[in-house]
Amino acid sequence: MAETVELPGRLAILPFRNKVLLPGAIIRIRCTSPYSVKLVEQELWQKEDKGLIGVLLSGTQLRPQLSALCSGTDPGYQSLKGSVDAVDSQKPDGKSLEGPIHWHNSVLWLQGVAARALHLSRGVEKPSGRVTYVVVLEGLCRFSVQELLQGVPIIPHMEQAEQDPDLILLSRQFKATAMELISILEQKQKTVGRTKVLLETVPVHRLADIFVASFEISFEEQLSMLDSVDLKVRLVKATELVDRHLQSIRVAEKISQKVEGQLSKSQKEFLLRQQMRAIKEELGDNDDDEDDLAALERKMQSAGMPPNVWKHAQRELRRLRKMQPQQPGYSSSRASEECEFDLRAAKERLDSDHYGLAKVKQRIIEYLAVRKLKPDARGPVLCFVGPPGVGKTSLASSIAAALNRKFVRISLGGVKDEADIRGHRRTYIGSMPGRLIDGLKRVGVCNPVMLLDEIDKTGSDVRGDPASALLEVLDPEQNKTFNDHYLNVPFDLSKVIFVATANRAQPIPPPLLDRMEVIELPGYTPEEKLKIATRHLIPRVLDQHGLNSDFLQIPEEMVKLVIQRYTREAGVRNLERKLAALARAAAVRVAEQNSLRLSKDVQPVTSSLLDARLADGAEVEMEDITMTVNNNEISNALRTASNMVVDETLLEKVLGPPVFDDREAAERVASPGVSIGLVWTSVGGEVQFVEASMMAGKGDLHLTGQLGDVIKESAQIALTWVRGRAMDLKISAPGGNSLLDSRDVHIHFPAGAVPKDGPSAGVTLVTSLVSLFSQKNVRADTAMTGEMTLRGLVLPVGGIKDKVLAAHRNGIKRVIIPERNLKDLVEIPSSILSGMEILLAKRIEDVLEQAFEGGCPWRRSAKL
């Protein structure tokens, strides 16, 4: 049964363009034309009881479709008499116009829909001041145009549709098809429950319009549905549209089920990315991605790649277009501009950052001079070798600053996988480029200064040898075509300036060491440490602890005591730690005295009136009371109370008892059989005591102190030489038999937890044995180093500068070195040599002559 809609006697017409409003549908429109604004303002806005309006389809697009029905009415004629008839239940004998009509230079469709306003809002455009309306309309019923009137009231006639069997059958078919569609949609959506309610409560003639309005159909189909005045025709068309939509859903589900069974995981991801790309295209949200890809393609074209690399890059670009924007592809690197630099400014920068190290600075200046004359020169790879804390890493940073290049540090300590250098192949999950390419990616340039830190601490296992992979990196003839497994194309590393650091050169494989120029940084003298502490360490420590010189003062004499008694090392790291301990003690004192009370007369302010006004909820005006003490007086009082000057008493209180004592050497060599040697370690030179003792036995040699094979052989050589000179040393028993045959000799190297090895302890071992057998003490102010042979020759050894500096730190004034090491003395600062006596030895007899007070005891009988 059709629903009767009562229309008013007068129905204003609102023309629609490119939109079709069906009964039961809701549409939102914006009225901007003068006619539409005037109509909405008169019929809807100014009336308290919002009326109804008629909606007719208008537009020039109707002309080609309805050219056969045009009546030739004057386009400008507006005063046509007639009426408007609601035809959802059309009057059987009702007359209507045939074909479209012309009105306001537009074609009007003869079938319209009466609508009511659900929502209405008014706006004003700026700066034009034009009034616009936004209207939400609900379609109520169809009507056909009989005549167009202007100001003539009409009374429409509506009747109910006849309930014939054909109409009932069509209604059942439509509802059955609609219910089937709802059942399918119910599996995908949870909001179709409302549609079921509409299907059971809304009349069928309105239900058909509501269903069709929710579909995406063509404009022609919408016009056809609007023109279906007869309810049977309307139900037939609506059933066809619903059935077509139902079939399309079924086909889509069938295809989806079939495709899902064949798609692999990667294909599903590709499908989802394609769908996401399509969604972004609809939303207009993919402009940035396209710009990035276009910019990347332009960079590729201007990069001048070789043909094989260009082919590979194009393939990767096509792959990148199919990927998510969040997934990383290849990143392009740019070269930092190397501006013109001044050698004098570079030297000043090195002097300001580092004290001493004259030879190292001179080599860096030479390197920079070559770069200045020939920027594309393939210079050597510098390798700074020295103990910790001598400034190897900061020197590399200064080189980058002098060249105005980016600086990147790559730590190789503990690296055992070759893939850390060459990268992982992309066939593996979690693959990534090597550390070199990753470092270039971090700084964003292809010509930085790259520091290969701790190059002597790489290892090797079943995953490869990183040191072997570095052979290609550090070879100027090969690194221009470095092949990273992740990139899988040659990469030019020739523009990178490589600088390496190591504590020792021995663990570095010889082929890799051959590709680098080794520059040794042996360590600092006490005078250099004092300058470094006053110029660099103390200001930095004070700044790190929020202090300044007004709160903590460390005199130079106290810094010397810290260097002599607490930090006997080649570098300055322990010195900085001790200074930081003093700064922490001062920080505690300053923090405790922040609540300092000044003994000044300040009048108390009574608060009774203030409390009363606050209790009443009144506003209180705060008045500034000027104190009689100014800020300078407060600061001076706080500074005077908190200033801490370090003295020897405070030094021992904060740092504890002295760790080192200058009397240690004299006390330890006070008995025969003890000598002082000089050794080289990864942290610089050190003093090594050697102790020898003998007991009744069978002439065996016992060695302790965690010794290596080389030093054990040196001990055996020393004992053999002493036995061979037993007659000269007067240690033979009557009858010519050596008393050593009935004595066991035990040689011990103190600090047994530290591994020891090397040939430089040969002369020290002989001196200890001669002292033991002759019962004569070795001079406490004399230390020695050198390798010896069975014939008594003293051979040169390495690390002379480190060893002499170690003797100087321990208060030893005389040092015996091989004669062939005379050339190494030029590396030792003159300030050190001027306070020491350097003795040269060609044979072991020369060593013994200098090691004992009064010369070697050749004619002194041993007391066994």
Side-chain angles (χ1 to χ4, degrees):
M1 178 94 37
E3 179 183 3
T4 301
V5 179
E6 295 183 359
L7 296 181
R10 179 175 177 270
L11 190 63
I13 300 299
L14 179 64
F16 268 23
R17 294 182 181 272
N18 305 326
K19 292 183 179 180
V20 176
L21 177 64
L22 295 177
I26 298 175
I27 192 171
R28 180 178 178 271
I29 61 172
R30 183 169 181 264
C31 300
T32 58
S33 66
Y35 173 78
S36 300
V37 170
K38 184 177 180 181
L39 184 145
V40 172
E41 189 168 349
Q42 292 179 354
E43 299 297 329
L44 301 179
W45 181 260
Q46 296 179 356
K47 293 183 178 180
E48 295 182 0
D49 186 12
K50 300 297 185 294
L52 303 180
I53 61 174
V55 176
L56 290 179
L57 188 63
S58 69
T60 57
Q61 74 275 13
L62 297 176
R63 296 181 185 270
Q65 301 176 20
L66 306 173
S67 58
L69 300 178
C70 289
S71 60
T73 308
D74 185 6
Y77 186 70
Q78 302 181 18
S79 299
L80 299 178
K81 294 183 179 181
S83 62
V84 179
D85 190 12
V87 294
D88 267 10
S89 300
Q90 188 179 358
K91 186 176 178 180
D93 55 351
K95 297 180 181 180
S96 63
L97 298 177
E98 295 182 358
I101 60 176
H102 297 268
W103 183 66
H104 283 263
N105 295 327
S106 298
V107 179
L108 289 181
W109 191 248
L110 297 182
Q111 302 296 335
V113 174
R116 63 182 174 185
L118 300 180
H119 178 74
L120 182 65
S121 61
R122 186 174 185 266
V124 179
E125 294 183 353
K126 293 183 178 181
S128 62
R130 185 176 64 169
V131 178
T132 61
Y133 287 93
V134 176
V135 187
V136 179
L137 298 175
E138 180 188 12
L140 298 178
C141 65
R142 288 177 176 80
F143 66 82
S144 61
V145 178
Q146 293 180 342
E147 282 187 274
L148 285 178
L149 301 176
Q150 188 169 2
V152 180
I154 61 170
I155 301 177
H157 300 278
M158 298 186 61
E159 295 182 0
Q160 298 180 352
E162 298 180 2
Q163 301 296 326
D164 57 6
D166 294 338
L167 185 60
I168 295 175
L169 180 61
L170 290 174
S171 300
R172 291 176 179 176
Q173 291 178 354
F174 173 77
K175 288 187 176 182
T177 307
M179 183 60 70
E180 189 175 358
L181 176 62
I182 292 173
S183 300
I184 294 178
L185 295 177
E186 194 174 18
Q187 301 175 2
K188 301 180 179 181
Q189 304 176 3
K190 298 182 179 180
T191 59
V192 295
R194 300 177 181 176
T195 310
K196 282 187 176 181
V197 176
L198 292 176
L199 198 62
E200 296 174 356
T201 58
V202 177
V204 66
H205 71 280
R206 297 197 61 190
L207 191 63
D209 292 327
I210 294 174
F211 262 79
V212 174
S214 63
F215 296 156
E216 293 183 2
I217 58 178
S218 64
F219 183 74
E220 291 78 6
E221 290 174 335
Q222 292 179 358
L223 285 178
S224 176
M225 194 67 185
L226 179 63
D227 196 31
S228 301
V229 178
D230 185 82
L231 185 55
K232 295 181 181 180
V233 177
R234 194 187 317 164
L235 287 175
V236 172
K237 291 183 179 181
T239 304
E240 292 177 355
L241 292 175
V242 173
D243 185 68
R244 188 178 68 184
H245 191 68
L246 177 62
Q247 296 301 326
S248 63
I249 293 178
R250 288 176 175 174
V251 171
E253 285 187 348
K254 185 177 181 181
I255 295 175
S256 177
Q257 293 176 357
K258 184 177 181 181
V259 172
E260 284 181 357
Q262 300 175 354
L263 288 178
S264 61
K265 182 179 180 181
S266 59
Q267 290 172 325
K268 288 182 179 179
E269 293 177 356
F270 173 77
L271 180 60
L272 292 175
R273 292 191 189 102
Q274 291 297 105
Q275 292 177 352
M276 185 173 294
R277 184 182 295 273
I279 294 172
K280 289 187 175 182
E281 288 178 356
E282 291 294 330
L283 296 176
D285 195 22
N286 63 337
D287 296 337
D288 294 339
D289 300 337
E290 293 298 330
D291 292 343
D292 293 341
L293 293 175
L296 181 59
E297 188 172 6
R298 288 193 300 269
K299 289 182 179 180
M300 289 170 49
Q301 293 174 355
S302 61
M305 301 179 183
N308 58 333
V309 179
W310 171 253
K311 183 178 179 180
H312 183 82
Q314 282 185 319
R315 183 169 64 251
E316 292 299 325
L317 181 62
R318 290 193 297 267
R319 175 173 172 266
L320 184 63
R321 293 184 186 276
K322 302 176 182 178
M323 295 171 60
Q324 281 275 49
Q326 293 83 2
Q327 295 181 353
Y330 289 117
S331 62
S332 58
S333 297
R334 62 185 186 277
S336 59
E337 297 182 1
E338 187 173 337
C339 61
E340 190 73 16
F341 59 90
D342 186 6
L343 288 180
R344 181 175 300 178
K347 185 176 181 180
E348 293 176 355
R349 175 65 182 267
L350 290 174
D351 291 336
S352 63
D353 293 344
H354 306 84
Y355 182 83
L357 305 176
K359 182 180 178 181
V360 177
K361 293 179 182 178
Q362 181 60 30
R363 181 62 187 90
I364 294 176
I365 293 298
E366 294 171 357
Y367 178 83
L368 296 179
V370 175
R371 300 289 305 187
K372 180 180 178 65
L373 298 177
K374 188 175 177 58
D376 58 344
R378 296 181 180 179
V381 177
L382 302 180
C383 181
F384 299 131
V385 177
V390 296
K392 300 185 295 294
T393 302
S394 57
L395 279 173
S397 177
S398 299
I399 294 176
L403 291 173
N404 193 28
R405 292 196 179 189
K406 296 291 187 66
F407 177 72
V408 55
R409 174 181 172 271
I410 298 177
S411 179
L412 299 178
V415 174
K416 297 183 179 181
D417 192 354
E418 181 185 357
D420 286 337
I421 306 299
R422 293 189 179 275
H424 300 78
R425 299 189 184 275
R426 283 180 292 172
T427 54
Y428 300 105
I429 297 177
S431 59
M432 61 185 69
R435 298 196 178 192
L436 302 178
I437 302 299
D438 184 67
L440 296 178
K441 181 181 178 181
R442 291 201 308 268
V443 297
V445 296
C446 63
N447 62 341
V449 174
M450 183 173 291
L451 174 64
L452 303 178
D453 206 6
E454 308 293 350
I455 198 173
D456 60 327
K457 296 178 178 59
T458 59
S460 61
D461 56 10
V462 294
R463 294 172 292 181
D465 185 6
S468 300
L470 288 173
L471 295 176
E472 180 185 1
V473 174
L474 301 182
D475 191 341
E477 300 297 331
Q478 299 182 34
N479 59 12
K480 60 183 178 181
T481 57
F482 174 71
N483 186 17
D484 188 280
H485 292 161
Y486 186 83
L487 296 182
N488 201 25
V489 292
F491 192 91
D492 187 6
L493 293 177
S494 61
K495 299 179 182 179
V496 180
I497 298 179
F498 290 100
V499 180
T501 65
N503 295 129
R504 296 186 302 161
Q506 287 78 5
I508 303 175
L512 182 59
L513 190 64
D514 182 64
R515 284 166 167 78
M516 300 183 293
E517 179 180 347
V518 177
I519 300 178
E520 294 185 355
L521 284 73
Y524 298 109
T525 64
E527 290 76 13
E528 291 174 338
K529 288 184 179 180
L530 178 61
K531 296 295 183 180
I532 293 173
T534 55
R535 294 186 182 183
H536 302 283
L537 299 184
I538 293 178
R540 183 167 63 190
V541 166
L542 292 178
D543 181 67
Q544 291 175 351
H545 292 79
L547 303 174
N548 53 44
S549 58
D550 296 331
F551 298 104
L552 175 64
Q553 295 181 4
I554 308 177
E556 288 190 1
E557 294 298 326
M558 295 300 102
V559 178
K560 291 181 180 179
L561 289 181
V562 174
I563 295 173
Q564 294 172 2
R565 298 181 180 181
Y566 295 93
T567 59
R568 288 184 178 176
E569 57 170 348
V572 292
R573 286 182 180 169
N574 281 333
L575 176 59
E576 185 175 5
R577 294 189 185 100
K578 301 301 180 182
L579 296 176
L582 296 174
R584 290 194 297 270
V588 172
R589 183 175 179 178
V590 172
E592 290 177 348
Q593 295 181 355
N594 274 342
S595 58
L596 179 64
R597 296 183 179 179
L598 300 176
S599 57
K600 300 291 182 178
D601 295 330
V602 181
Q603 296 297 330
V605 181
T606 59
S607 60
S608 59
L609 178 61
L610 179 64
D611 294 339
R613 295 193 67 183
L614 289 176
D616 296 338
E619 295 184 357
V620 179
E621 295 182 359
M622 305 303 294
E623 180 181 0
D624 294 336
I625 302 176
T626 304
M627 297 180 62
T628 59
V629 183
N630 57 31
N631 292 334
N632 293 331
E633 293 179 352
I634 296 176
S635 178
N636 293 333
L638 183 61
R639 185 182 298 111
T640 302
S642 302
N643 189 14
M644 186 173 72
V645 180
V646 178
D647 54 11
E648 191 170 352
T649 303
L650 181 61
L651 203 64
E652 293 190 8
K653 181 180 178 180
V654 176
L655 303 182
V659 180
F660 304 102
D661 192 353
D662 293 339
R663 298 172 298 177
E664 180 184 8
E667 293 175 354
R668 297 185 68 170
V669 298
S671 59
V674 181
S675 60
I676 305 174
L678 296 173
V679 297
W680 184 90
T681 66
S682 60
V683 295
E686 294 290 344
V687 170
Q688 177 65 60
F689 292 91
V690 177
E691 300 175 352
S693 179
M694 65 178 177
M695 67 213 78
K698 300 179 181 180
D700 296 333
L701 176 63
H702 304 280
L703 300 173
T704 56
Q706 198 172 351
L707 308 178
D709 294 336
V710 177
I711 202 169
K712 289 180 181 179
E713 294 174 356
S714 298
Q716 189 64 52
I717 292 172
L719 183 59
T720 300
W721 186 87
V722 172
R723 281 182 172 180
R725 304 298 297 269
M727 294 297 295
D728 297 334
L729 297 175
K730 307 296 185 181
I731 56 175
S732 299
N737 295 326
S738 176
L739 292 178
L740 297 180
D741 295 338
S742 59
R743 297 286 191 271
D744 286 347
V745 178
H746 185 181
I747 300 177
H748 176 65
F749 287 73
V754 180
K756 309 170 189 67
D757 202 0
S760 62
V763 296
T764 310
L765 289 166
V766 172
T767 304
S768 177
L769 291 175
V770 172
S771 173
L772 174 66
F773 297 146
S774 64
Q775 291 296 302
K776 188 175 182 180
N777 296 339
V778 180
R779 295 185 57 163
D781 61 348
T782 303
M784 62 200 71
T785 182
E787 181 183 359
M788 69 161 292
T789 67
L790 282 173
R791 303 302 178 186
L793 295 176
V794 179
L795 302 181
V797 293
I800 292 298
K801 182 178 179 179
D802 291 321
K803 295 175 180 178
V804 173
L805 293 178
H808 183 269
R809 289 195 299 267
N810 288 269
I812 298 174
K813 302 300 182 181
R814 303 171 76 244
V815 177
I816 303 174
I817 65 173
E819 186 181 36
R820 294 169 61 182
N821 283 119
L822 178 63
K823 62 183 186 300
D824 298 321
L825 297 179
V826 297
E827 300 179 0
I828 302 176
S830 58
S831 60
I832 300 296
L833 294 178
S834 61
M836 300 184 68
E837 183 181 1
I838 306 298
L839 306 171
L840 303 178
K842 186 176 181 179
R843 296 186 57 83
I844 189 63
E845 290 85 353
D846 301 331
V847 176
L848 297 177
E849 283 288 337
Q850 303 293 341
F852 294 94
E853 190 72 36
C856 178
W858 295 108
R859 296 180 176 88
R860 182 181 177 87
S861 300
K863 299 179 181 179
L864 301 179

